Amino acid sequence: MTARVVQVLPDVSAIDRVFDYEVIERDDPRVRIGSIVRIDLHGRRVRGWVVAEGAGAAGDVVLKAIAKVSPGHVPADLVDLSSWAAWRWAGKRRSFLATASQPQPVVTFGRGAPKSDDQLRESTPEWARAAFESPQSVVRLGPAIDPWPIVVAAAERGPALVLVPSLARVDLMHRRLREAGIRGVTVGARAGAWVACDGLASVVVVDAHDEVYTEERAPTWNAWRVVAARAARAGVACALTSSTPTVEQLDWGTLVETDRNTERRGWARIEILDRRGDDPRTGLWSSRAVDAIRSAGRTLCILNRTGRAKLAACAKCSTIATCEKCAGAVHQVEAAELICGRCGTTRPTLCLVCGGTKLKLLRVGTARAAEELSALIGAPVAEVTGASAAVPDTKAIVGTEALLHRVGRADLVVFVDLDSELSAPRYQANEEALALLARASRVVRGRFGDGRLLVQTRQPDHPVLLAAAANDPARLTDTDRQMRQDLALPPFAALAQVSGVAAPVFVDGLRGQLGVEVTGPDNHEAFLVRAPNHQTLCDALARVERPIGRLRVSVDPVRA
DNA sequence: CGGACAAGCTGA
DNA sequence: CAGCTTGTCCGG
């Protein structure tokens, strides 16, 4: 009788290859594809995953035995998906299998059909039913429209996987499911894309445009792409919901819209404050914004710059304040001190040219903005950034966009300087700016309350603002799509960003690949790799040998 | 990753 | 030439 042999992928980051091991007890049912085992490898005992049955190209080496079978198991379909994901995001299988093996903060609530079928079906609107008519759909909902009916519709079809953008919303969703008596729904955040689901019948991704679905560290995989692939492999429907679907998502799936009025009610009234006529010395706050803040209730003022100022000049001689060591622009975090944004050198607030100690703050941050607003409205104004512990109870708060995630409800949201978002050097900048306005619309409860948004801008005719003011994201999609086509950007091309000390050697290898174009390095020493599609791009990235040394490959980079 | 082993350096 | 560091290789 021949020995039973399986292939094992070790859980060791530097080893991206499989090894053959013998299964001593041939019929051990615990050893199967996806089993988590311990193996002896090169003198130490490490964790690994059984990824295939039967011997690989082992040659005539003497095989070692699987030392131990650990608890836990990755279903075979996810083992297979991990190979695809490793190709798709130019990463190692190990990182995906590790995610799939983690105890995840997901909630699987029972099994079976919803409590009262008829009652639920009656309250299911047409658009929620339509979400599963096509195998791939994108349901566009006004920002303040609750996607819950889609979750109910998914549960009716059988075991469902639902992704939401944060752990807090996993809890919230779980509570609602329990209260509604709905069973058979697995809820997770980004890593939930890798959770086991028996008999999966449908997949829903809530707020699919949200960038938290993208892993920041390489491999830069994206949860909606993973569950979309997973659904396609399982032959089940996948529905994305979003107030502002991305061009890539609309390229992927069939758009499902609600009726125009329902969508409109989900968006807040948006007022554009055209500041082109204002004297630049007026400062950050237009008088119209100050009046609105005075008469409103809870107000959130969004400014995506922390500290007091990102750029300053001497009040006496107008010289831009720079670092004495590296000549980078210095930031003012606190009034008395300047910090170089590039090398971190600090010095007291002092002009290097004339010795002046008074500065004009040119690109004011949240700290200074809060001080100014407080003086203008004659009331205390708190400052909240991503690093802040608690949200204070002042009437007006100035903060970065983190504020929109931390405060559930407001009466007025003011975008102090949306122009800095609109001109951000990323091709997704428009989509992100519109998504920000959508998030603010949700915070003021769209047209369901009497909240509103105020946008200070010098670009009142910008497509983002026209789309937002019309409560019609499609208007931006059309212009953005054209721009992407003209500039050969996704979804009309596939991109990867390559950085790290080994990047120059690696991209040299890529230059010889058919259909692949390399540009760079940019000022961060990163190269951009472009191909007509992911097949070409990812095949090339997989084919070219990786040189030793640090190398980061970001497929579908966020900052490009 | 981390153990093994070889090559290189140092001091007696 | 022992004793140590540094570098390269490779795992079943």
Side-chain angles (χ1 to χ4, degrees), chain A residues 175-188:
Chain A
R175 210 169 311 144
R176 282 180 89 171
L177 288 165
R178 193 176 47 208
E179 276 162 17
I182 295 173
R183 297 165 170 280
V185 178
T186 303
V187 187

Side-chain angles (χ1 to χ4, degrees), chain A residues 353-366:
Chain A
V353 174
C354 73
T357 54
K358 256 190 97 182
L359 288 180
K360 280 185 294 201
L361 306 182
L362 298 180
R363 290 180 61 203
V364 169
T366 48

